[in-house]
Amino acid sequence: EAQASHPRLASVAAACTLVLCALNQRRAEVTTCNSGSCVALMASAASAEPILLSKCHRVQDSATERARVEASGCRVAHAADESGLPCGPLLVWPGGHETARCIGSLGKGSRAQLPLPSCATVPLPPGEVELLLGSASVLDEIHVSSALALLRRAPSAQMAAQLLVEAVA
C-alpha cells in the first residue's frame, strides 16, 4: 500500500533491522536479539577486546546465512555494474538485500526474508560494562575502538549518538 501511494518508493529495496539487549543484573547476564544488519558489542575493563553479542546476518559475511538463503530457493549473487560485471557485496535475490533477516521490508521481498532474530545470553564480566548497539553500517565506517573512545567521553547517550553520527558522516 505504501508503495502504491508513493510512486518514488516503487523501485526501493529496503529492509528494517533491529538489535536489542536486555541486562539482568541479578543473574549477571545480558541477552541480545538481533535481526538484520545491526551490531551489539559489550566492552569492559575485564576484557581487552569488545565482545560481539550479535550474530552477523549479512550474506557477504555469513556462510550460515548464505546456506539458509540458498536452501529457501533464493539466489545469492553480486549486483551487476553498467557493463554487466559483478560489483559490490553479495546480495539476496530477488530483492537485492544484503541480509535476508529483517523485521520488515519495503520493495521486492523474497521467500528467504525471515523476521526471526538470533538470540543469545552471555554472562556479564565483573565491573562496569558498556554496550554499543547500532547499524552495522556505522561500524563499517569507524573502527570499534574509535567508536568506543567517542562514546566514553560523551556526557550523555544522546551526545554519544550525535558524536558517532558526526564521526561517520
Side-chain angles (χ1 to χ4, degrees):
E1 286 181 59
Q3 288 177 301
S5 64
H6 295 20
R8 289 188 342 196
L9 297 179
S11 64
V12 172
C16 186
T17 66
L18 175 73
V19 61
L20 170 79
C21 287
L23 290 170
N24 185 327
Q25 291 180 323
R26 196 172 94 213
R27 293 174 59 170
E29 63 187 23
V30 59
T31 299
T32 303
C33 296
N34 72 291
S35 184
S37 184
C38 45
V39 174
L41 296 166
M42 179 171 57
S44 74
S47 176
E49 290 294 318
I51 300 165
L52 181 64
L53 301 173
S54 53
K55 294 261 197 258
C56 178
H57 293 153
R58 287 179 171 168
V59 292
Q60 171 77 26
D61 303 323
S62 173
T64 304
E65 278 299 294
R66 276 194 305 279
R68 186 189 68 76
V69 166
E70 289 169 342
S72 76
C74 292
R75 200 165 61 97
V76 175
H78 296 277
D81 65 13
E82 306 82 37
S83 306
L85 298 173
C87 68
L90 286 172
L91 301 172
V92 178
W93 301 97
H97 295 281
E98 71 175 19
T99 177
R101 291 203 191 225
C102 59
I103 59 170
S105 177
L106 175 65
K108 297 179 176 115
S110 74
R111 61 188 161 275
Q113 286 182 334
L114 181 66
L116 184 66
S118 295
C119 296
T121 300
V122 299
L124 286 170
E128 289 187 19
V129 297
E130 301 161 315
L131 296 174
L132 172 61
L133 289 74
S135 167
S137 299
V138 170
L139 293 180
D140 290 344
E141 300 298 322
I142 187 171
H143 192 272
V144 171
S145 61
S146 298
L148 287 169
L150 277 173
L151 301 180
R152 286 176 177 142
R153 71 172 193 250
S156 68
Q158 184 176 355
M159 181 58 78
Q162 182 177 340
L163 288 171
L164 196 53
V165 167
E166 289 171 1
V168 299

